[in-house]
Amino acid sequence: KGKSFSYKLKYYVYYYKFHVLTVVILLLLAGAFIKSVLNQKENALSLALINANQAVDYEEWITEYSKLTGITDKQEMSIDYSYTFSNELYGYQTEQKFFVATAAGNIDAIIAPKTYFDKYAVVGYMVDLSKLLDESYLEENKELLHEVTLDEESGGVTEVAGVDVSDAIKIKEEEWYSNIEEPLYFGIVVESKNMEEAFKLLKYLQK
């Protein structure tokens, strides 16, 4: 009593420093959480590229595509080109990452060489496009439709699992797959939450 304000402040901080520190930390954590919630963007489309060219600037392409197709600032498109498959341990680990991402619904569509596309298509990873895409598109692109027969555990039926995009203009222009000799297929994953947006991307790549 009777001491100056600065003295009282020093006294308080000295004796209650742990309480003050705890409150400050809680306020900082709360602020960071609120900021992350406010800045969180809705997933507009997630594309996975298997064994693609690692030297391409995909971020620049995403920016251009987003502007052209009306993806807003509150939405986000992503291209994951880190899926490099092989017969080695690294390739196995990458495949496990791919399995988890598709099962969790974190991938909407994929582009892959025939070897790897068919590997996943035959076990039911892809949407049957004959039931998803409109009749006009299916008729105009019937020569590009890629059918696979599912294994017995997946039903054993024949489905249109993908579309051949080997000669898709945008993919060739950007050299996404400059050293791949086998056909490239575009497919929509069964767990996709953005199938309509994936179809829009497919048509854009073919323009």
Side-chain angles (χ1 to χ4, degrees):
K1 185 177 179 181
K3 300 291 184 180
S4 66
F5 176 78
S6 62
Y7 179 89
K8 291 179 180 180
L9 182 61
K10 291 177 183 177
Y11 178 89
Y12 181 84
V13 171
Y14 178 79
Y15 284 100
Y16 297 97
K17 55 180 173 289
F18 293 111
H19 298 79
V20 172
L21 184 60
T22 301
V23 171
V24 169
I25 291 174
L26 289 174
L27 288 174
L28 289 174
L29 290 174
F33 175 75
I34 293 171
K35 183 178 180 181
S36 66
V37 171
L38 292 176
N39 292 333
Q40 187 174 19
K41 295 185 177 182
E42 177 188 356
N43 175 36
L45 181 66
S46 297
L47 175 66
L49 304 181
I50 297 178
N51 287 2
N53 184 356
Q54 302 290 299
V56 175
D57 187 350
Y58 295 100
E59 290 302 320
E60 182 179 344
W61 191 91
I62 289 173
T63 300
E64 179 184 346
Y65 177 78
S66 298
K67 290 179 180 178
L68 290 172
T69 56
I71 293 177
T72 69
D73 292 338
K74 294 184 178 181
Q75 296 176 306
E76 185 176 42
M77 176 186 175
S78 63
I79 296 179
D80 190 342
Y81 55 92
S82 66
Y83 296 106
T84 303
F85 293 170
S86 68
N87 294 323
E88 301 174 359
L89 177 61
Y90 175 73
Y92 173 77
Q93 292 174 336
T94 305
E95 286 196 65
Q96 297 307 303
K97 173 188 171 184
F98 179 76
F99 286 141
V100 172
T102 50
N106 295 331
I107 296 177
D108 294 304
I110 75 166
I111 298 176
K114 176 178 171 58
T115 299
Y116 294 102
F117 186 92
D118 287 355
K119 180 177 181 179
Y120 301 108
V122 298
V123 293
Y125 263 58
M126 306 302 164
V127 172
D128 183 355
L129 298 179
S130 66
K131 299 177 181 178
L132 176 66
L133 305 185
D134 57 66
E135 291 295 330
S136 61
Y137 179 88
L138 293 172
E139 179 61 29
E140 291 173 9
N141 296 273
K142 58 184 177 182
E143 299 298 325
L144 300 176
L145 302 180
H146 178 56
E147 293 186 342
V148 299
T149 300
L150 276 58
D151 61 22
E152 292 301 320
E153 292 183 6
S154 303
V157 297
T158 299
E159 297 181 344
V160 177
V163 176
D164 190 331
V165 290
S166 305
D167 294 322
I169 296 173
K170 300 296 183 182
I171 293 176
K172 296 187 76 172
E173 283 180 350
E174 300 292 333
E175 297 185 339
W176 286 9
Y177 289 87
S178 55
N179 297 316
I180 300 296
E181 296 182 357
E182 60 181 329
L184 294 172
Y185 297 123
F186 178 101
I188 300 176
V189 180
V190 292
E191 299 292 343
S192 170
K193 299 180 178 66
N194 300 288
M195 293 187 185
E196 184 176 341
E197 195 66 44
F199 181 38
K200 284 170 58 178
L201 173 64
L202 171 61
K203 292 194 292 185
Y204 176 82
L205 293 173
Q206 293 178 305
K207 285 182 180 179

